Structures are given as structure tokens and as C-alpha cells.
Amino acid sequence: EAGRQRILERMAGGVSLPNILEEIAEWIDGSVPGVSCAVVVLDPEVPAEYEIASFPARPGDVGRRWTAPPFHGLGGPAPWPACRSPLDGPCACPVVDWGCAADATSPVANAFPIRSAADEILGALLLFVPRPARPEAIDDAVVAAAARLAALALDRDRVDRRIRQAETKRHLSQKMEAVGRLAGGLAHDFNNLLGVLLGHASLLLAQFDELDPRRADLLEMERTARRGSDLARQLLVFCSGPPLE
């Protein structure tokens, strides 16, 4: 109980997920004699892909990833489905050299699923016990409590990640809104300048005879200014600003 309370306090204090999972694995190692615990986490973005998040007995394996079948209906420690290949081929588990049915001298892995409050599989506690021991020797109460702590930590991490993603999207939206307002203001100013050019072009055209060759340049100036005004209108529409009159 003391170990569980300490981990809860550490979680409330904002300790990072990797450190919390490390403490959970160490708690099991210290509470269940002869057991070495590895915490594996299911990648929410890649179906059936697991990563070793904590393994105090073999820290060099932390970060290793592999694909394995999902858990189904496990309520307590039981042989992990990944240790049985559908085609009776090699085991996909990266710590196979620590636990495999073909080797009678190595530890054997048993798994306890980490389930969210919505009964979603988030990962598993892999419990390596010496080969003479049997799964019944594992203290289910301690492992169940550890799995609940791991689920709480993983759930909290996912919520925090969603909040950060939402904040990032909100900031991006605010930046885009600011850029839109700036572009709309520039379009208004640009259109005002073009209005001055169009006004002067009209006054000059009125001063020249229809056959005066200089009218061609003025007419081209007027057409160019009107095209610029059309571009300003398009920019305002893109920025969701009001159309120019």
C-alpha cells in the first residue's frame, strides 16, 4: 500500500510518464520475489505495435518495439498471446531470449493487461518468473494494483497529449486569423490606392481627344488598375472580409 500511495503522490506531483512506469515496474520487482517486470505500451497510432516503456532488469531493452496479437479476455496473469505464433514460427517478442516455451531453463513471461477505464487495452505488464515457479505464485493483488496505476498514468498522458494538441491547433487558428485580418487590411489599403489611380486615369482620359495616341497608355493604366482591384476583391473573399463597394 505504501508503494502504491507513493506512486500516486508522484503522479499528482507531475512526474513524467516514463519515470512513473519505471517506478511501477520497480515496485513489482520489489513486491513479488523472483519476478522481473517489463511495462509494454500499445502504440495508439499503430495497431498491435508495442514498445517496452520500462524494464528495470534490462534497461537496454527500453524503447524496443515489435508487433504482436492484441490481448483478449485476460483478467489476470496468463501466458502472453505473442509467445505463440499463429504459424508456429519464431516468437516476435524482442525479449524471447528471456522467456520461451522451447527453453526449459529460461524465465517464462506472463502478462497482465493494462486496461483503461473504458476497458481499452493500453499495454501490459510482462512478468518474468523463474522457470520452476508457476503463474499461481504471482501476487495477483499487487499486479492488479500496478496495472491500475499504469492505466491511470497512461490515460493521464493521453489526455495531456490531446490537450496539448488542442492548444496547438487553437494557437495555429489564432495565427491564421491574425494573418487573415492583416491580409484583409492590406487588400483594403491596396484597393484605395488603386482607386486613386483609376480616378486620375479617368480625369486624364477626359482631357484627350478620342483620336489622341496618348489615350492608349492611359487606357492600359486604367485596365491594369481594375485588374488589381479585382485581385484585391479576391483576397478579401479569401480572408472572409466584406467585399469592396
Side-chain angles (χ1 to χ4, degrees):
E1 184 62 29
R4 175 179 173 276
Q5 186 61 36
R6 182 176 60 84
I7 293 174
L8 284 172
E9 291 174 356
R10 298 271 288 166
M11 290 173 60
V15 176
S16 67
L17 177 64
N19 288 336
I20 290 295
L21 296 181
E22 183 79 6
E23 292 187 21
I24 290 173
E26 290 174 348
W27 179 40
I28 292 180
D29 289 356
S31 302
V32 185
V35 165
S36 295
C37 176
V39 183
V40 296
V41 178
L42 179 64
D43 190 330
E45 306 296 332
V46 183
E49 180 147 317
Y50 293 84
E51 178 179 352
I52 300 178
S54 174
F55 199 174
R58 288 176 48 153
D61 284 328
V62 173
R64 296 180 68 178
R65 303 172 69 92
W66 78 102
T67 301
F71 294 98
H72 291 293
L74 295 184
W80 197 35
C83 293
R84 298 290 183 270
S85 168
L87 301 179
D88 293 327
C91 178
C93 178
V95 290
V96 62
D97 55 307
W98 252 49
C100 182
D103 182 359
T105 62
S106 69
V108 60
N110 296 273
F112 198 104
I114 300 172
R115 298 179 184 273
S116 70
D119 205 35
E120 175 189 4
I121 293 294
L122 304 177
L125 302 178
L126 288 186
L127 310 178
F128 293 91
V129 297
R131 177 62 65 170
R134 300 182 59 81
E136 291 77 9
I138 298 173
D139 189 338
D140 287 13
V142 171
V143 180
R148 287 194 294 271
L149 287 174
L152 183 62
L154 289 168
D155 269 336
R156 186 190 67 171
D157 182 71
R158 289 190 177 187
V159 170
D160 289 345
R161 192 176 305 174
R162 292 191 188 103
I163 291 174
R164 289 194 298 269
Q165 291 173 347
E167 284 293 316
T168 299
K169 290 181 180 179
R170 185 175 66 85
H171 290 156
L172 179 60
S173 177
Q174 290 175 341
K175 288 180 180 179
M176 293 299 294
E177 183 180 353
V179 170
R181 288 197 300 267
L182 175 61
L186 290 175
H188 273 292
D189 293 341
F190 183 52
N191 190 75
N192 290 338
L193 294 175
L194 292 174
V196 174
L197 290 177
L198 285 169
H200 282 286
S202 297
L203 291 174
L204 288 173
L205 282 170
Q207 297 177 18
F208 291 99
D209 186 81
E210 291 289 340
L211 299 179
D212 193 313
R214 289 173 292 181
R215 287 177 60 86
D217 292 335
L218 291 172
L219 289 171
E220 182 61 29
M221 180 190 301
E222 186 180 48
R223 284 193 294 269
T224 301
R226 292 191 185 282
R227 286 200 296 271
S229 181
D230 290 339
L231 288 175
R233 290 173 183 275
Q234 293 176 22
L235 182 58
L236 281 170
V237 170
F238 177 76
C239 298
S240 300
L244 294 173
E245 296 296 336

